[in-house]
Structures are given as structure tokens and as C-alpha cells.
Amino acid sequence: MRYVKVSSLREGMIVGQDIASANGKVFLKKNSELTMDNISYLSFIGIQGIYIDDEFSKEAEIKDLVRPEVRNNALRLVHQFFRKSDGGPLPESEKHILENVQQVVNDVLSNKDVMYNLVEVKSYDDYTYFHSVNVGILAGIIGMKCKLDRATIEDLVTAAFLHDIGKIFIDIEIIHAPRRLNDQERIRMMEHPRLGYELLEKNFRFPESVNRTVLEHHEWYNGLGYPNHRGGNDLLFTSRVLKAADVYDAMTSKRPYHPPYLPSEVMEYIMGRSGMEFDPAIVEVMSRSMCVYPVGCEVELSNSERAIVISNHEGYVLRPTVKLIRTGDVIDLQSDHDALNLTIVKLMM
């Protein structure tokens, strides 16, 4: 499979992954042929690109972080939870979320060597729901890599799914403002962790660690975050993981006030703020497990050749295996001695 920007999609290309809406319903199935109507709709709903299957990129195998049906069910449940919570949540909402979290954690723990190795396909218009699920999956992977026990990972994923629930109390004009917020709007937005915590405490029976992780997900490691200016070990470790996962997904997503940043740019930001905004131990884990050149993406090499990333190597994320577009040659940048001086200079996204 390879990742193709929507602007470069062509009629007849074969879809590489199911593509679902925010309510979890698949509207474009894997192995279907793209039509012009499909491409126009993908552009209309703000999807940046999708994975397609072709003969050239068949070596680029992308392992699902969680099964598509589990991820789509998570989208549906998170969508329902957010929609119902401001009008009186239904009692079964809590049960369904926890059941889905267990399925997500089962999938994450089933492959301890899994890396965050893809570009998530998500709609701009329904950002909150895609973001919540993506952060949940990413936080679960980081939690596993940090060797957290299963119960703690389940609490972490639950908190990640619900971390932005307080935004249902924030005016939609502030949430979707296509500009920097003014001081008054920013203060209002900064209330959402507390509002989410209070909603969960009042209406549900989630573990206190879940609710507190929601409350603390915008706190900084050095104590300069919000709402309570806690830092270091005064914060739950799950809060520190969620903080990093939240920032990574938010920055790699298209938002009203900025285009998506490249994974390499976001990891540089996170590494540069280690010990300030982020827990250094978590940054270290992410630097080994977050693939800044995801499988299936096109890159430019220092010799001006272009290539498709075929696979990544944990601990050596700057040196993946690539396939040259011009010749079809496969080069392992990590172990091929003839490629020691060859580097990736650009991710083509």
C-alpha cells in the first residue's frame, strides 16, 4: 500500500483500507475502485489522503494497530457518547465504552512489537471524534511500550477516548474558530478539562484515575500547564502519556488555524520540549516507536531519488527500508553498507 494525497488520486485506483465516517460507518470499502464522485467526496469532507493498493507498493504492508471493525466501533461509540452527554447520558454508554476499550487493548497487547507506523485517515469536519479515537489507540501503544499493566492501559485508553468531552460545553464558534483565540476565548477553552472531569464525576462511574487523567491532560511536566499547574510526579503517569499522545495527533491533523505538520516535525517539537512540556521517559519511548517516515509514504533521498517507505525499524526510525520509484530497487538504510551516506531529506506529503 502507499499513501496518496487526495489531490493526486485518480479514477480506478484501488482503495487500500476501509474509510469510515465519524459515526463508524464505512463509506468506502477496501479493494473498491475509486470513482470521480468518491474523490470529490473525500476532498469535500476534508480528508487529506488515503492508502491505495498497487503492484509497485505491494511490499509496503501496513499492520493495523487495531482491527478496522474495533476502531470503527470506537468511532461510533465516542460519537454517541459526545452527542448524548450534553442532553443526559444513557446508562449503557459507560458499559459500551469500557467494552470497546477492552477490545482495543486486546489488539494493542497482541503485538508488543507494533509501532505507530501510518498516517491516520480522518475527516476535518468531524475532527473531535477521529482525534479522540486516534489518541486512545496511540496512548495505548505508548502505555504498552512504557510497560504499564493492562488495567492501567485500559484506564489510559478510556481517558483518551473521553479527554475532550468537556468541549461540549464550549461554544462551537470557539471550537472551530479559523484563527487564534482572543484572551477571553482562550480562557474559556482552557476550562474544558475541568468541565469534562466534572461531567464524568457527576454522571458516570468511571475509575477516579480515568477522570483525573481527563482533568490533567493539558498539564505540563514542568507545572506550567492547566488547569491546576501540577507537574512531575504530582501528575498521574497516564496523564503524562495522554498529554504527549494528544499533542502528537493534534499537530499531525489539519485544524482551522494550521495545516497538518509532518510526523518528523511533531517529533522534533516533542523532543525539544522534553522535561518542559513532556515527561522525558515518555519522549524517549516515543522517539523509538513513532515512525517519522510512515510505511507507504513517499520520501526524497539525499541523492535526489524518490522512494516509497517499505518498512521501519524500532529504535532506528530515521533509517527505514525504502523502494526506489525510478528503478524498483529496495534499500535498507539501517543495514545496507552501500547506503551509509544516503539519508532521507523530505517526506512527500
Side-chain angles (χ1 to χ4, degrees), residues 296-327:
C297 289
E298 184 177 336
V299 294
E300 182 179 333
L301 304 177
S302 54
N303 62 359
S304 299
E305 293 274 8
R306 293 196 174 185
I308 297 292
V309 177
I310 299 301
S311 62
N312 273 286
H313 313 292
E314 185 162 11
Y316 301 90
V317 294
L318 297 178
R319 308 291 293 175
T321 297
V322 301
K323 183 176 183 180
L324 300 183
I325 292 175
R326 183 176 62 85
T327 65

Side-chain angles (χ1 to χ4, degrees), residues 40-296:
S40 296
Y41 183 67
L42 290 170
S43 179
F44 174 73
I45 63 175
I47 287 179
Q48 299 293 295
I50 66 171
Y51 284 94
I52 62 110
D53 265 329
D54 61 15
E55 185 64 22
F56 181 82
S57 61
K58 64 182 179 181
E59 296 100 333
E61 297 183 8
I62 300 174
K63 185 179 180 69
D64 289 319
L65 301 175
V66 301
R67 287 165 291 164
E69 61 270 23
V70 173
R71 183 179 186 276
N72 293 339
N73 192 38
L75 277 170
R76 179 179 63 82
L77 292 171
V78 169
H79 185 268
Q80 290 178 351
F81 195 95
F82 275 63
R83 291 294 183 93
K84 291 173 181 176
S85 291
D86 56 351
L90 298 179
E92 65 268 20
S93 298
E94 177 184 331
K95 175 185 175 185
H96 292 163
I97 287 285
L98 292 175
E99 289 174 346
N100 181 259
V101 164
Q102 290 177 349
Q103 293 177 321
V104 168
V105 174
N106 284 342
D107 285 4
V108 168
L109 293 180
S110 68
N111 184 357
K112 296 187 181 300
D113 296 324
V114 70
M115 301 172 69
Y116 201 79
N117 203 16
L118 78 167
V119 180
E120 293 286 1
V121 175
K122 46 199 169 188
S123 165
Y124 168 75
D125 288 339
D126 289 314
Y127 165 80
T128 296
Y129 311 118
F130 285 98
H131 172 68
S132 299
V133 172
N134 292 341
V135 171
I137 294 170
L138 175 54
I141 292 170
I142 297 171
M144 177 189 68
K145 298 287 185 179
C146 290
K147 304 187 185 307
L148 300 181
D149 61 75
R150 183 191 173 99
T152 303
I153 295 173
E154 288 184 357
D155 285 354
L156 171 59
V157 174
T158 304
F161 280 179
L162 307 177
H163 73 281
D164 276 340
I165 189 67
K167 288 184 177 179
I168 65 174
F169 302 109
I170 309 296
D171 290 343
I172 196 70
E173 291 80 9
I174 296 178
I175 299 293
H176 294 301
R179 53 171 172 77
R180 287 187 177 275
L181 301 180
N182 61 41
D183 289 345
Q184 185 176 359
E185 291 169 334
R186 184 167 48 82
I187 291 170
R188 179 58 178 163
M189 178 68 87
M190 290 170 63
E191 292 179 357
H192 81 268
R194 177 183 57 78
L195 294 171
Y197 172 82
E198 291 173 352
L199 171 72
L200 296 176
E201 281 277 296
K202 179 180 178 181
N203 294 286
F204 295 94
R205 295 174 297 171
F206 292 114
E208 174 59 21
S209 59
V210 169
N211 300 341
R212 185 175 157 191
T213 300
V214 170
L215 177 67
E216 294 179 345
H217 78 273
H218 277 295
E219 300 284 4
W220 286 25
Y221 187 72
N222 66 1
L224 294 182
Y226 63 88
N228 294 321
H229 309 295
R230 289 177 176 164
N233 291 330
D234 288 337
L235 299 170
L236 293 181
F237 190 76
T238 49
S239 304
R240 290 175 259 161
V241 173
L242 178 52
K243 163 69 176 175
D246 181 34
V247 168
Y248 183 90
D249 188 76
M251 291 185 68
T252 54
S253 301
K254 180 181 178 181
R255 302 299 299 122
Y257 42 85
H258 72 70
Y261 294 102
L262 296 176
S264 56
E265 294 172 326
V266 178
M267 278 309 303
E268 285 212 15
Y269 173 88
I270 290 173
M271 292 170 71
R273 298 172 81 85
S274 177
M276 299 165 50
E277 191 171 350
F278 306 103
D279 184 328
I282 293 166
V283 174
E284 172 63 22
V285 168
M286 292 179 70
S287 71
R288 297 195 307 267
S289 306
M290 306 295 294
C291 298
V292 295
Y293 304 119
V295 167

